[in-house]
């Protein structure tokens, strides 16, 4: 039997009337009485279905999943532990205790449910699989951590660890932000295998793979500025330097073969190389400062 003490099940929703009732009933049937549905202004009866199933229901003041999660934790949750999942029926209460165990044992302050450990047929399209693999690989390269499935919507975390995070994303990038903040701030993180089910027939996804995937990639790169400045500034510097070198080679070839001078292009090439080298140097300096800062923090602990 589940141990619901000190646990709030948080479910952000938007037009999930087909599935939210079953999701709420699943968790309440497993012993989790405090199920909070924070709704983004659904027009299909999601809030009514959630209330009928026994959930606390609030309508978020803004829009987007990220804003909903921040508002829910800040204004509507007092519990020590928060179990967060999507309202589309792809996650089940069967995995709830496994998600919460690392928090209760003190092993971790943030838990990510790894969907790839047991992904049922039809649960994810081939395009989404490829996108997830690319994003997880990019996260590991940029942020030097491997969390297995950073886009998983099944999370468990302590209030204290959530309050440590600086989250600004309003949309689906909130999971990515959480993973980056865990890596950046050294929040103890565990990865737990979970079962990922297909969306039930009749329910529609709010995810747009190309658009939202692009937003997530940009968020990963933007966050590298403070977590891995050598990668962030180094990549910009490399692109700038390489562009300058290519232009310089073109100018040189034109001059040697045709005696045609390109003064403007020559100036552009020199400027690009100069900026690129400066960015590379700045990236190395910033990385050194960040390393020293982290070392000082470790010594204080």
């Amino acid at each position: 039997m589940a141990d619901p003490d000190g646990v709030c099940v948080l479910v952000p929703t938007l037009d999930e009337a087909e599935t939210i009732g079953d999701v709420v009933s699943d968790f309440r049937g497993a012993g989790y009485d405090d199920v909070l549905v924070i709704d983004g202004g659904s027009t299909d009866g999601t809030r009514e279905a959630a209330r009928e199933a026994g959930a606390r229901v609030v309508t978020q003041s803004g829009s987007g999943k990220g804003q909903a999660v921040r508002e829910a934790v800040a204004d509507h949750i007092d519990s020590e532990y928060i179990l967060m999942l999507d309202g589309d029926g792809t996650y089940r209460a069967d995995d709830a205790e496994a998600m919460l165990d690392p928090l209760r044992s003190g092993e971790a302050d943030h838990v990510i449910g790894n969907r790839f450990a047991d992904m049922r047929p039809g649960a994810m399209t081939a395009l989404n699989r490829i996108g997830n693999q690319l994003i997880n690989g990019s996260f590991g390269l940029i942020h030097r951590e491997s969390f297995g499935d950073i886009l998983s919507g099944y999370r468990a975390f302590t209030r204290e660890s959530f309050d440590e995070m600086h989250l600004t994303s309003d949309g689906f990038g909130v999971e990515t932000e959480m993973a980056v903040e865990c890596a950046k701030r050294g929040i103890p993180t565990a990865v737990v295998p979970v079962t990922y089910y297909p969306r039930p027939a009749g329910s529609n996804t709010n995810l747009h793979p190309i658009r939202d995937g692009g937003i997530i990639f940009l968020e990963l790169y933007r966050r590298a500025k403070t977590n891995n400045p050598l990668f962030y500034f180094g990549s910009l510097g490399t692109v700038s330097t390489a562009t300058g070198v290519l232009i310089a080679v073109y100018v040189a070839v034109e001059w040697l073969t045709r005696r045609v001078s390109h003064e403007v292009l020559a100036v552009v090439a020199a400027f690009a190389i100069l900026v690129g080298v400066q960015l590379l140097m700045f990236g190395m300096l910033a990385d050194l400062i960040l390393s020293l800062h982290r070392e000082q923090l470790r010594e204080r602990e």
Side-chain angles (χ1 to χ4, degrees):
M1 185 66 176
D3 178 8
D5 291 344
V7 178
C8 176
V9 178
L10 171 61
V11 190
T13 58
L14 177 62
D15 293 330
E16 304 282 6
E18 293 291 332
T19 55
I20 190 59
D22 290 336
V23 171
V24 173
S25 297
D26 183 28
F27 280 85
R28 284 181 57 82
Y32 298 94
D33 293 329
D34 188 11
V35 179
L36 171 64
V37 171
I38 182 162
D39 185 70
S42 297
T43 57
D44 66 345
T46 294
R47 294 186 296 278
E48 291 77 8
R51 286 193 187 96
E52 289 177 6
R56 282 194 293 143
V57 180
V58 295
T59 301
Q60 70 184 97
S61 60
S63 62
K65 183 177 181 179
Q67 193 276 336
V69 172
R70 294 196 304 274
E71 180 178 338
V73 176
D75 300 336
H76 304 290
I77 297 177
D78 298 321
S79 304
E80 180 182 1
Y81 304 124
I82 298 162
L83 184 66
M84 184 181 84
L85 64 144
D86 298 329
D88 56 6
T90 54
Y91 303 106
R92 300 287 170 83
D94 294 343
D95 294 312
E97 282 303 291
M99 292 287 292
L100 291 164
D101 281 345
L103 303 183
R104 292 184 172 128
S105 67
E107 174 190 343
D109 293 326
H110 190 96
V111 180
I112 299 173
N114 183 6
R115 299 169 295 173
F116 294 97
D118 183 18
M119 184 174 293
R120 298 300 171 87
M124 187 178 291
T125 66
L127 177 62
N128 283 346
R129 279 179 178 267
I130 293 171
N132 271 264
Q133 291 170 353
L134 288 174
I135 289 170
N136 280 296
S138 299
F139 177 83
L141 175 66
I142 296 172
H143 297 284
R144 296 174 283 199
E145 287 280 1
S146 179
F147 291 149
D149 186 12
I150 68 166
L151 300 184
S152 173
Y154 209 173
R155 303 288 178 115
F157 46 88
T158 62
R159 279 194 65 90
E160 186 177 353
S161 68
F162 187 86
D163 290 339
E164 288 182 41
M165 298 180 179
H166 179 62
L167 303 177
T168 59
S169 173
D170 285 338
F172 284 101
V174 64
E175 289 92 355
T176 304
E177 267 196 322
M178 284 181 168
V180 172
E181 287 292 294
C182 285
K184 177 181 177 181
R185 302 183 187 281
I187 296 172
T189 303
V191 180
V192 170
V194 298
T195 302
Y196 188 58
Y197 295 89
R199 293 178 65 94
S203 64
N204 297 314
T205 179
N206 295 313
L207 181 68
H208 300 276
I210 303 300
R211 182 198 68 189
D212 293 320
I215 291 172
I216 290 167
F217 270 115
L218 288 175
E219 183 63 26
L220 279 177
Y221 188 75
R222 184 179 71 85
R223 288 273 176 162
K225 180 166 52 180
T226 54
N227 195 38
N228 188 355
L230 181 58
F231 177 88
Y232 181 82
F233 293 105
S235 59
L236 292 175
T238 299
V239 170
S240 181
T241 302
T243 301
V245 169
L246 288 174
I247 295 174
V249 169
Y250 171 76
V251 170
V253 169
E254 284 284 283
W255 170 252
L256 293 173
T257 59
R258 300 173 55 194
R259 294 296 175 181
V260 175
S261 62
H262 296 281
E263 290 85 358
V264 175
L265 286 179
V267 171
V268 171
F271 180 77
I273 293 171
L274 179 62
V275 170
V277 171
Q278 288 180 330
L279 284 170
L280 286 167
M281 294 176 64
F282 184 78
M284 289 187 287
L285 179 61
D287 191 67
L288 175 61
I289 293 172
L290 179 62
S291 298
L292 290 173
H293 175 66
R294 286 173 172 167
E295 184 65 30
Q296 289 176 343
L297 289 178
R298 282 194 292 268
E299 289 176 357
R300 292 175 184 173
E301 292 176 355

